[in-house]
Amino acid sequence: MTSAAMHMHKNLGSFERLVRLALGAFSLFAAAALFENPLAKIACVLFGAFALWEYGTGWCPLHAALGGSSPSDPLSHPALRLLGLAAVQGVMAFAWFDAGWEKVTNPEFATGVGKTLAYFASNNPFPWYKAFLLGPATAQSALFGLAVEWGELAVGVALAVAMAGLLVGREAKRRQALVVSSAALALGMIMNANFYFAAGWTGAGTKGDNVVMFWVQGVLLYVWLSSYFSGSRPKAPAQRKA
């Protein structure tokens, strides 16, 4: 049997294939009806098509990389934990990238930052942050706006790239992915904290979103830093012999 044929040997059980079918269908639906961002639409179409291909072939390269070599060989608990944490990071990556892309592609965002800051300061319940909004932030509103939009975009890209490195990279790449993930998560937490102090008072949704994102990223940051400093960096489970 050739190497290519061995790699294409089915490794998904019935449940895993149904999951791929559901993911593929939902991703294509999201591309058609939910997202306006063209990059999000393209990503959903590609992801959906790939998930349906995995459903049809019964083979998943990521499943194989994490140790699942046959339908009767489910992923180990460490592999499932890594996959779950990486998936949560992927959700955070999309949230930041989508927010940054919306601002970067909107010319009115940069020009209207000054008015936005004034509104955030109008009824702000934190005197010290209100002083920051009306002082340094307003004085450098253009620079502040650029930092926000490109910072959000950078965090989204960094989290997505690092997520891939954690899942399929070699040992050295996984170590680098932990560093990149930690830096991006820390920056995301800083931005969420600032958004909370600036605009949390404007509505329960804004307040809640930033609180949830802050703590989700905090949990991920703790896990990745603990793995890095303890030396127990996430590793791909060893391939089981058929």
Side-chain angles (χ1 to χ4, degrees):
M1 182 180 290
T2 65
S3 176
M6 291 177 63
H7 287 167
M8 287 296 293
H9 183 72
K10 291 183 179 181
N11 64 352
L12 297 178
S14 299
F15 172 73
E16 293 291 348
R17 294 180 73 176
L18 285 175
V19 169
R20 268 56 175 190
L21 178 61
L23 283 175
F26 180 77
S27 295
L28 295 179
F29 169 76
L34 299 182
F35 294 123
E36 296 181 0
N37 186 323
L39 293 182
K41 285 180 174 290
I42 293 172
C44 280
V45 169
L46 294 176
F47 179 79
F50 189 72
L52 292 178
W53 176 83
E54 289 184 336
Y55 164 74
T57 62
W59 182 75
C60 173
L62 178 58
H63 203 76
L66 292 175
S69 57
S70 72
S72 61
D73 193 16
L75 295 181
S76 65
H77 290 299
L80 285 172
R81 287 195 293 269
L82 174 60
L83 182 61
L85 289 169
V88 172
Q89 180 159 312
V91 173
M92 292 294 100
F94 172 77
W96 282 118
F97 182 85
D98 187 59
W101 180 265
E102 182 179 355
K103 293 178 178 64
V104 168
T105 56
N106 180 12
E108 296 182 359
F109 174 78
T111 59
V113 168
K115 292 181 179 179
T116 301
L117 294 175
Y119 169 67
F120 288 161
S122 60
N123 293 311
N124 196 288
F126 305 103
W128 59 275
Y129 203 84
K130 181 175 182 177
F132 167 72
L133 292 173
L134 295 176
T138 298
Q140 300 292 332
S141 60
L143 182 61
F144 189 82
L146 288 173
V148 168
E149 60 186 13
W150 288 105
E152 290 180 344
L153 205 63
V155 167
V157 172
L159 289 177
V161 172
M163 176 192 68
L166 288 168
L167 289 174
V168 299
R170 296 180 181 276
E171 179 63 17
K173 294 296 183 181
R174 283 189 167 83
R175 183 176 178 83
Q176 295 172 2
L178 287 174
V179 174
V180 173
S181 292
S182 298
L185 289 167
L187 179 56
M189 293 175 70
I190 291 172
M191 288 194 292
N192 280 131
N194 277 275
F195 296 158
Y196 173 87
F197 289 122
W201 65 270
T202 62
T206 300
K207 182 178 182 179
D209 287 349
N210 283 290
V211 170
V212 170
M213 289 184 68
F214 180 90
W215 286 110
V216 169
Q217 290 170 115
V219 170
L220 287 174
L221 179 61
Y222 166 76
V223 173
W224 298 148
L225 287 179
S226 295
S227 297
Y228 182 86
F229 289 115
S230 68
S232 59
R233 296 182 292 278
K235 300 178 181 180
Q239 294 288 342
R240 301 182 181 92
K241 294 183 179 180

